[in-house]
């Protein structure tokens, strides 16, 4: 966990809070590597939520560009 860190401050991150890859337009990353650490339980539910957040971000991006 944490090899492609997610952070609100893009100067400290590779992935922003909406799962977009910083500095690469149109690329999102949804991975356990985005999590700063793995908690005591399985990260499956966190990854599902990250997927939903990324999907919302992608749909919003597509809707605003059309």
């Amino acid at each position: 966990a944490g090899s492609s860190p997610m952070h609100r401050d893009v100067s400290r991150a590779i992935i922003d809070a909406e799962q977009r890859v910083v500095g690469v337009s149109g690329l999102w990353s949804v991975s356990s590597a985005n999590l700063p650490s793995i908690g005591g339980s399985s990260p499956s539910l966190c990854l599902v939520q990250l997927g939903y957040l990324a999907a919302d971000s992608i749909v919003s991006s597509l809707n605003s560009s059309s």
Side-chain angles (χ1 to χ4, degrees):
S3 60
S4 59
M6 174 178 54
H7 200 279
R8 287 189 177 131
D9 179 3
V10 294
S11 68
R12 299 177 56 197
I14 294 173
I15 308 297
D16 71 10
E18 294 183 17
Q19 306 308 301
R20 294 178 300 212
V21 177
V22 175
V24 182
S25 178
L27 182 61
W28 285 260
S29 171
V30 180
S31 169
S32 61
N34 301 357
L35 301 174
S37 66
I38 300 294
S41 62
S42 171
S44 297
L45 293 177
C46 290
L47 292 173
V48 169
Q49 182 61 33
L50 287 177
Y52 280 119
L53 290 172
D56 284 342
S57 179
I58 292 166
V59 168
S60 294
S61 175
L62 292 173
N63 287 337
S64 67
S65 66
S66 57

